[in-house]
Amino acid sequence: MRAFTGMHPSLILLFISFSFSIAIRDTVTPNNPLPDNETLISSDGSFSLGFFRPSSISSNLYLGLWYSNITPKTIVWVANRKDPVINSTAVLSISTNGNLLITNQSSTIIWSSGVTNVTNPVAQLLDTGNLVVRSDDDGQSYAWQGFDHPTDTLIAGMKLGVDFTKGLNRTLTAWTSSTDPSPSQYYVMMDIRGSPELVIGEGSEKMWRSGPWNGEGYSGIPETLTYSGFNFNFTNNKQEITYSFTTNQSLVSRVTVNASGIVQRWLLVDSSGLWNLMWYTPSDQCDFSPPCGPYATCNPNNSPKCDCIQGFKPKSPDKWVFRDATDGCVRKTPLDCKNGTDGFLTVPKTKLADTWNVTVDTSLSLVECKAKCLNTCACNAYAPSDVRNGGSGCIIWTSELTDLRVFVSDAYGQDLYVRMTAADLGSSSSTNSRKSNSHKWLIIIIVLALLILILACIGGLLRRRRKRRQTRGVLAVTTSFHDRSNRRVDNLELSGGNDLELPLLDLGTVQSATDHFSNANKLGEGGFGPVYKGRLRNGQEIAVKRLSKSSVQGLVEFKNEVMLIAKLQHRNLVRLLGCCIEGEERILVYEYMPNKSLDFFLFGKSKDQVLEWPTRFKIIMGIARGLLYLHQDSRLRVIHRDLKASNILLDEEMNPKISDFGMARIFGGDEAEGNTRKIVGTYGYMSPEYAMHGVFSQKSDVFSFGVLVLEIITGKKNRGLYLADRHTNLLDRVWSSWKEGNSLQVVDESIKSSYDMNEVIRCINVGLLCVQNHTEDRPLMASVVLMLSGDSVLSTYPKEPGVPLRRVPHQSESSSSKQDTSSTNEMSMTLFEGR
Ligand SMILES: *[C@@H]1O[C@H](CO)[C@@H](O)[C@H](O)[C@H]1NC(C)=O
Ligand SMILES: *[C@@H]1O[C@H](CO)[C@@H](O)[C@H](O)[C@H]1NC(C)=O
Ligand SMILES: *[C@@H]1O[C@H](CO)[C@@H](O)[C@H](O)[C@H]1NC(C)=O
Ligand SMILES: *[C@@H]1O[C@H](CO)[C@@H](O)[C@H](O)[C@H]1NC(C)=O
Ligand SMILES: *[C@@H]1O[C@H](CO)[C@@H](O)[C@H](O)[C@H]1NC(C)=O
Ligand SMILES: *[C@@H]1O[C@H](CO)[C@@H](O)[C@H](O)[C@H]1NC(C)=O
Ligand SMILES: *[C@@H]1O[C@H](CO)[C@@H](O)[C@H](O)[C@H]1NC(C)=O
Ligand SMILES: *[C@@H]1O[C@H](CO)[C@@H](O)[C@H](O)[C@H]1NC(C)=O
Ligand SMILES: *[C@@H]1O[C@H](CO)[C@@H](O)[C@H](O)[C@H]1NC(C)=O
Ligand SMILES: *[C@@H]1O[C@H](CO)[C@@H](O)[C@H](O)[C@H]1NC(C)=O
C-alpha cells in the first residue's frame, strides 16, 4: 500500500524538516531502542509505529500502528493491548536474542514478543504496516511479525485464519471501548470445521457466519463481487486456511470489528481521515443469530421473513403463526431412501446453510455430487463448493439445513439443491400459492361478514342506547361487546395478515440490555409496571416496559394484542420494537425517546427548557398526523381514548410520538365484566359524552386533541371536572377570551416573543372547534390537519366548549378517575373496523 504517495507536499516538507532533529527510521536494533516520544516510519512513509494514549486523559501508553498521513490517527494495530504502560515513560527495544520488549521507566518488562532465537536481530516496520523481527543476515524470513497477531483491524495484506505449520490462529478481537484497546468478548475468526467460513463470535456464542468461500467470495457476502480495485484471497490447503485482501494502489481499505460486535469494511475517501463505510454486518434481521430454524429460508424483505422451503411445513404451527420460526420446518413427506424416486429442489439465490458439519469433496463434478447425495441416505442437500464455470466440487449436508437465507438481488447468492421425495417435488409452488390465495379469500370473506355483523350490531345498540340514555347498564353491555367482537376480528387478522414482523426477544437479551432491570436504569413506574432504559448489543437504546405479574393475561391474547399494536407504524407513533414472553415475564420493548414527554416541557416545575412556538406548532401538527393515522389511515381504526400531554413522547428532534395506545385491552381491560364499565381515560381530556355516558368515537379523541392543543398554546393544564368554579377551567378561559376577540391573551408568557400570530390564532380556533360540546360539531382529524396547515379556510366559528360538570363520580370508578393521575392502567383502545 502506498497511501503516502497521495500526501500533501507541505506534509512531506514537514517530514523533511523533522529529519534535521531526528533521523527518520523504520528499524529498532539492540543499540537503538525507540523511546515513547519517537515513531518508526515505514520506508515509503505509509505507516507509523509508536506509543500512543487512547484518550487525552489516559495515563496508559500503548505501542500502536497507524496510517502516517491520515488524521485523526486511525490505530490499526496494538502490541500490548492487554498490558499498558501505566503512569510511566515507555521504551520499545529488542534484546540481542531478538525478543521485542516494551519496558517502563524502571525497566520492568511490560510486554514481550517471546521469540528469543534470532541472531543479529533487527525489528523493522515494513511498507505494508507489518512490524517484523528478522535476522540482519536474512532479509526474507521473519522470526516474528505483527501481522500474525492482529488486533481489531484487518488491513491489506494481513491474513485472518489458521496456519497449521506455524500453529497460528489469527483472529480479530474488538476493543473494549474506543478508549480501551483491551480485548472485548467480540471476535472474528475462521471456523475451520466443515467448509471453512468466517464467524463473528461473542464468547462461545456464534453471532454471524459469512457462509463458505465459493470461489468468488463468501456465500453470505455477495457484495464483494461488486468491489473493483480489490483482490480477495482465500487459501484452503494443508498448511493454512486463511483469508486476506489487497487493494490496488489508489485504494486504502480496512476491516474492523467494533465494540458492539459489528464488522465493518471501510474505504478511505480522502486523507483527512474520512472513512466511508462500505459494508457492515450483522445488518439485517436475517443476519442476527439464525432467526428461522432448520429448513426455513430467511428473507429480510419478506414479511414474515421466515418461510419453509417448498415441500416442508412448520414444525410448530402454533409458534409459526406468531412469527416465532425458531423451531423451523419439517418435511411434509419423510425421505424414503430405498424408494429411489427422490429428486432435488433447487433453492436459488441462497447464502448456503451452515456448513460446520458438512463433508466437502472438491474433486467431484456437480453431476457426481448429485449422484453421491442420492446414494447417501443421510444426505439432505448438496451444492457446488466452487460456483465458477457452472459449478464444481461438492458440499454434502447430512445434518439439518440451518441459517439459510435468500438474497433478493438476482446477482447474489447461489443454488442449493435440497433432496425431496417425488411427491413433494410434484407439489409445485403454484398449487401452494393457490392454496394460500384461497385461504386469503376465506379470511377476507369472514372478516367482511364479521364487519357487517358488527356494524349492524353497533347500529342497533346505538339506537337502543339513544332510547335508554344515562342508563348505566347499557354502557357496560356496549363496552364489553366491542371488546369481544373486536378480539375475534383481530385473531383472524393475525393468522391471515402477512405484513407484520415483531421480533420476539429472549429474556437474556432484555436482561443484559437493562443490566438485569437495575434500579439505575429505571425510567419510571407506569400503570402496568416499571419502565427501564436499556441498550441493545448493537448500541440501540430502548425503553423496556416490564409488565407487573399481576396483570398477566393469557399468552395468546397477549401476543394477539401486541401484534395488533405492532401493526401501527407511523412517524408520530411510538414504535414497538419487540416483545418478550418467557415464563411469567411479559415485556414490551419500545424505541427510546430521549426527551421524555410533553408534560415535562409544558407543566414541568423547572420549565428550564422553553419550547418555542415553532417547536410547539410542529408538535401540534405531529400529534394531529399521528391521530389521523390512527383514525383513518391505518388498516385498523383505532380510538386512542387517552390522549394527553404525558402520553406524547418527544424524540431528539422534538418530534412528537403518541404512546401508550391500546395497552388497556391487554391488561385489566375486560377480564371481568365489572371492569369494562370503568370509564377509562383522564378527566380533563375527556369529552363530555364519554365522561357522562361512556360513548366514545373518533370525536372523543378529537376533543382530547383540542384540549391538548389549547394546553400547548397556553402552557396550562386543563383542570378536571369537579371544580366548582367553572372559570378556572382552561377551556372556558380560552373560550371567553376568544369571544371577547382577545384570544392572544391566553398564550403562554414564555413564547410571547417567538410566536407567529396567525398560526397561534389558527391553532386556538382549531382547538376550540375540537372541544365543542356536541360531537356533530367537532371536525374529523382529516379536516383538523387541513385547517392547521392552512390549506383549508377556517370558516366555522366555534361553539361553546363542552365541560361535563354534571356527572357525579360513582364509587366504583372514583379510584380510576381521579383527576391528574396517570391512568395508564385504565387507558384503553377500541377498534372499529369500517366507519
Ligand atoms: C525524547 O525524550 C528524550 C529524553 O526525555 C530527549 O532526550 C529527546 O530529545 C526527546 N526526543 C524528541 C524528539 O523530543
Ligand atoms: C498515576 O498517577 C496519578 C497522579 O500522579 C495517580 O493519582 C494515580 O493513582 C497513578 N495511577 C497508578 C495506577 O499508579
Ligand atoms: C513499572 O512497572 C512495574 C510493574 O507493573 C511497576 O511495579 C513499577 O512501579 C513501574 N515503574 C514505574 C516507574 O512506573
Ligand atoms: C526459533 O525457535 C522456533 C521455535 O521456538 C523454531 O521454530 C525456529 O526454527 C527457530 N529459529 C531459529 C532461527 O532457530
Ligand atoms: C481460534 O480461536 C478462536 C477464538 O479464540 C477459537 O474459537 C477457535 O477454535 C480457534 N481455532 C483453532 C483452529 O484453534
Ligand atoms: C484501481 O482501482 C480504481 C477503482 O476501481 C481504478 O479506477 C483504477 O484504475 C485502478 N488502478 C489500477 C492501477 O488498477
Ligand atoms: C493468496 O495467498 C497465498 C498464501 O496465503 C499465496 O500463495 C497466493 O499467491 C495468494 N494469491 C493471490 C492471488 O494473491
Ligand atoms: C458499531 O457499529 C455500528 C454500525 O455502524 C454502530 O451502530 C455502533 O454504534 C458501533 N458501536 C460502537 C461501540 O462504536
Ligand atoms: C454431524 O454430521 C454427522 C453425520 O455426518 C452426524 O452423525 C452428527 O450427528 C452431526 N452432528 C450434529 C451435532 O448434528
Ligand atoms: C415411492 O414413491 C412413489 C412416489 O412418491 C410412491 O407412489 C410409492 O408408493 C413409493 N414407494 C414406496 C415403496 O414407498
Side-chain angles (χ1 to χ4, degrees):
M1 171 165 336
R2 221 140 297 169
F4 196 66
T5 49
M7 200 162 139
H8 197 271
S10 67
L11 274 179
I12 296 172
L13 262 182
L14 191 84
F15 272 99
I16 291 169
S17 61
F18 212 55
S19 66
F20 289 118
S21 47
I22 351 135
I24 296 181
R25 56 171 173 141
D26 64 356
T27 55
V28 171
T29 59
N31 295 328
N32 195 3
L34 183 78
D36 62 13
N37 57 359
E38 289 178 24
T39 50
L40 295 186
I41 297 174
S42 63
S43 67
D44 74 350
S46 305
F47 286 95
S48 299
L49 181 105
F51 288 95
F52 72 97
R53 294 178 201 282
S55 80
S56 54
I57 54 162
S58 171
S59 58
N60 295 0
L61 273 178
Y62 295 90
L63 181 69
L65 177 76
W66 58 90
Y67 300 95
S68 304
N69 54 344
I70 297 172
T71 45
K73 257 185 208 176
T74 308
I75 306 282
V76 294
W77 182 78
V78 180
N80 55 331
R81 64 188 306 189
K82 279 186 246 175
D83 315 293
V85 178
I86 305 166
N87 266 1
S88 162
T89 59
V91 174
L92 172 71
S93 59
I94 187 162
S95 65
T96 48
N97 60 8
N99 202 2
L100 214 47
L101 304 169
I102 295 175
T103 49
N104 70 4
Q105 213 160 357
S106 49
S107 299
T108 309
I109 295 170
I110 303 296
W111 174 88
S112 74
S113 65
V115 176
T116 54
N117 57 356
V118 191
T119 53
N120 244 339
V122 55
Q124 184 176 14
L125 179 61
L126 305 182
D127 290 343
T128 53
N130 199 3
L131 175 67
V132 300
V133 174
R134 59 181 170 80
S135 167
D136 210 9
D137 319 329
D138 173 6
Q140 293 313 306
S141 68
Y142 305 136
W144 181 90
Q145 53 180 331
F147 272 16
D148 284 342
H149 308 276
T151 310
D152 68 335
T153 305
L154 191 73
I155 59 175
M158 217 174 196
K159 284 177 185 172
L160 189 58
V162 182
D163 188 321
F164 301 109
T165 50
K166 292 188 196 155
L168 291 168
N169 180 7
R170 306 183 196 91
T171 58
L172 303 181
T173 310
W175 287 30
T176 298
S177 73
S178 61
T179 56
D180 181 1
S182 65
S184 81
Q185 73 271 38
Y186 295 108
Y187 59 89
V188 183
M189 62 136 181
M190 182 72 71
D191 187 344
I192 61 170
R193 299 172 300 171
S195 183
E197 59 184 357
L198 292 181
V199 161
I200 302 178
E202 180 192 2
S204 58
E205 195 188 328
K206 184 155 140 186
M207 280 170 61
W208 173 88
R209 40 179 285 272
S210 65
W213 187 267
N214 61 22
E216 290 180 336
Y218 288 106
S219 175
I221 322 178
E223 294 87 344
T224 52
L225 298 177
T226 63
Y227 297 171
S228 63
F230 281 81
N231 289 310
F232 299 98
N233 186 351
F234 186 85
T235 308
N236 181 0
N237 56 33
K238 285 208 170 63
Q239 289 80 45
E240 60 179 311
I241 301 177
T242 56
Y243 165 73
S244 63
F245 72 92
T246 51
T247 55
N248 81 11
Q249 293 192 347
S250 58
L251 301 176
V252 180
S253 177
R254 66 194 166 100
V255 176
T256 58
V257 52
N258 83 3
S260 322
I262 311 286
V263 173
Q264 297 161 315
R265 178 179 281 279
W266 304 90
L267 183 68
L268 186 68
V269 179
D270 66 43
S271 57
S272 66
L274 194 59
W275 291 95
N276 183 25
L277 184 58
M278 291 178 84
W279 168 87
Y280 70 96
T281 196
S283 59
D284 63 40
Q285 320 168 44
C286 293
D287 280 342
F288 287 97
S289 39
C292 292
Y295 300 111
T297 53
C298 189
N299 181 342
N301 289 16
N302 278 359
S303 190
K305 58 181 178 286
C306 301
D307 194 8
C308 287
I309 300 174
Q310 184 207 317
F312 287 77
K313 56 175 197 265
K315 187 172 182 186
S316 313
D318 295 348
K319 289 189 184 174
W320 194 271
V321 167
F322 293 113
R323 309 295 192 259
D324 177 354
T326 46
D327 285 353
C329 308
V330 290
R331 292 182 185 278
K332 287 178 183 159
T333 318
L335 289 179
D336 180 5
C337 193
K338 292 186 202 80
N339 192 322
T341 57
D342 289 354
F344 289 94
L345 173 81
T346 308
V347 184
K349 297 193 284 182
T350 66
K351 163 183 168 181
L352 290 184
D354 202 338
T355 50
W356 75 272
N357 197 21
V358 297
T359 49
V360 184
D361 186 344
T362 51
S363 66
L364 296 182
S365 72
L366 205 50
V367 177
E368 291 165 328
C369 187
K370 181 177 182 177
K372 183 179 173 190
C373 185
L374 272 180
N375 293 334
T376 315
C377 279
C379 176
N380 280 315
Y382 75 93
S385 59
D386 189 332
V387 297
R388 291 172 297 187
N389 307 321
S392 63
C394 186
I395 306 179
I396 294 232
W397 281 263
T398 49
S399 43
E400 291 175 318
L401 303 179
T402 57
D403 191 19
L404 186 60
R405 75 171 284 171
V406 294
F407 293 103
V408 188
S409 164
D410 281 329
Y412 290 174
Q414 60 192 89
D415 290 345
L416 173 70
Y417 305 96
V418 181
R419 183 181 195 154
M420 212 153 281
T421 59
D424 286 342
L425 269 178
S427 70
S428 73
S429 54
S430 65
T431 56
N432 260 356
S433 69
R434 217 180 305 139
K435 214 188 279 169
S436 70
N437 263 345
S438 67
H439 264 135
K440 261 181 211 152
W441 278 113
L442 197 70
I443 287 161
I444 290 172
I445 290 167
I446 293 175
V447 169
L448 279 179
L450 269 172
L451 275 182
I452 292 167
L453 199 81
I454 290 166
L455 285 178
C457 290
I458 290 172
L461 281 163
L462 285 178
R463 236 174 292 128
R464 249 199 296 163
R465 193 170 38 220
R466 236 172 257 135
K467 281 192 211 130
R468 295 166 58 184
R469 259 196 137 120
Q470 272 154 318
T471 317
R472 290 178 39 82
V474 176
L475 175 61
V477 174
T478 318
T479 322
S480 64
F481 168 76
H482 284 310
D483 288 337
R484 284 279 164 71
S485 49
N486 286 324
R487 165 145 310 141
R488 284 214 306 276
V489 175
D490 302 343
N491 279 335
L492 286 167
E493 277 272 0
L494 277 168
S495 41
N498 255 353
D499 55 350
L500 166 73
E501 198 51 61
L502 185 71
L504 282 169
L505 304 168
D506 67 37
L507 190 55
T509 309
V510 179
Q511 277 172 340
S512 68
T514 57
D515 197 9
H516 291 267
F517 303 110
S518 77
N519 269 333
N521 282 334
K522 197 157 161 180
L523 292 173
E525 186 92 32
F528 307 124
V531 182
Y532 298 89
K533 183 180 171 179
R535 187 186 285 272
L536 293 180
R537 235 164 24 194
N538 63 8
Q540 183 179 12
E541 289 185 316
I542 52 172
V544 175
K545 200 176 249 184
R546 188 187 198 185
L547 309 179
S548 38
K549 301 235 163 73
S550 58
S551 63
V552 167
Q553 176 199 33
L555 184 64
V556 173
E557 278 115 311
F558 174 81
K559 279 188 172 175
N560 246 345
E561 309 264 11
V562 170
M563 296 294 179
L564 196 83
I565 297 155
K567 285 189 176 182
L568 302 170
Q569 292 205 358
H570 185 269
R571 60 190 300 264
N572 295 115
L573 301 184
V574 168
R575 209 150 70 83
L576 187 63
L577 299 176
C579 68
C580 165
I581 304 165
E582 259 182 61
E584 294 257 87
E585 293 283 2
R586 303 279 187 275
I587 290 166
L588 296 169
V589 175
Y590 293 93
E591 57 180 341
Y592 174 71
M593 290 291 133
N595 272 328
K596 297 192 185 163
S597 53
L598 183 58
D599 57 333
F600 277 91
F601 289 93
L602 288 183
F603 324 122
K605 278 189 204 95
S606 54
K607 271 193 166 185
D608 42 16
Q609 199 185 339
V610 172
L611 285 185
E612 294 299 342
W613 172 251
T615 312
R616 295 193 193 204
F617 187 63
K618 180 169 95 173
I619 291 172
I620 290 173
M621 283 304 293
I623 302 169
R625 291 206 186 94
L627 208 51
L628 174 62
Y629 169 82
L630 285 178
H631 285 180
Q632 276 188 2
D633 296 341
S634 70
R635 297 187 19 223
L636 316 153
R637 282 162 205 279
V638 177
I639 296 177
H640 187 290
R641 285 217 282 181
D642 197 21
L643 201 62
K644 55 180 172 178
S646 60
N647 279 344
I648 306 297
L649 305 186
L650 299 166
D651 71 7
E652 53 276 274
E653 283 154 11
M654 301 302 276
N655 291 310
K657 308 245 178 181
I658 301 173
S659 77
D660 264 349
F661 34 87
M663 287 295 100
R665 290 217 302 139
I666 304 183
F667 319 101
D670 61 349
E671 299 99 35
E673 291 275 290
N675 276 353
T676 62
R677 72 171 65 187
K678 264 186 195 166
I679 292 187
V680 302
T682 307
Y683 287 149
Y685 292 91
M686 242 186 251
S687 64
E689 75 278 5
Y690 180 39
M692 288 189 287
H693 312 304
V695 181
F696 47 83
S697 67
Q698 298 179 2
K699 296 293 186 71
S700 23
D701 273 357
V702 171
F703 185 95
S704 310
F705 174 77
V707 174
L708 202 47
V709 169
L710 297 178
E711 288 185 338
I712 292 173
I713 293 169
T714 60
K716 302 227 164 45
K717 216 177 169 75
N718 187 32
R719 296 286 153 205
L721 303 175
Y722 305 117
L723 295 174
D725 183 5
R726 237 191 112 112
H727 295 284
T728 58
N729 178 287
L730 177 68
L731 305 190
D732 277 315
R733 284 208 298 119
V734 178
W735 167 242
S736 37
S737 62
W738 173 269
K739 271 192 305 189
E740 290 158 16
N742 189 12
S743 52
L744 287 175
Q745 75 178 33
V746 298
V747 177
D748 193 347
E749 290 295 337
S750 55
I751 57 165
K752 285 247 155 113
S753 57
S754 71
Y755 70 63
D756 171 332
M757 205 167 73
N758 288 331
E759 258 174 22
V760 171
I761 291 181
R762 195 160 67 223
C763 286
I764 295 177
N765 191 344
V766 171
L768 284 172
L769 285 173
C770 290
V771 297
Q772 291 175 101
N773 196 20
H774 295 292
T775 43
E776 314 83 73
D777 294 333
R778 291 176 215 148
L780 284 170
M781 281 320 288
S783 25
V784 167
V785 168
L786 284 179
M787 288 190 282
L788 282 174
S789 56
D791 291 345
S792 156
V793 183
L794 284 164
S795 53
T796 350
Y797 190 84
K799 297 178 184 155
E800 186 169 4
V803 180
L805 280 176
R806 289 160 293 274
R807 188 165 179 267
V808 180
H810 192 273
Q811 193 53 44
S812 74
E813 293 156 8
S814 54
S815 65
S816 66
S817 49
K818 266 182 256 150
Q819 72 175 60
D820 291 356
T821 51
S822 156
S823 65
T824 32
N825 261 330
E826 279 77 39
M827 163 243 335
S828 180
M829 169 179 83
T830 300
L831 307 168
F832 284 114
E833 297 275 352
R835 264 164 230 258

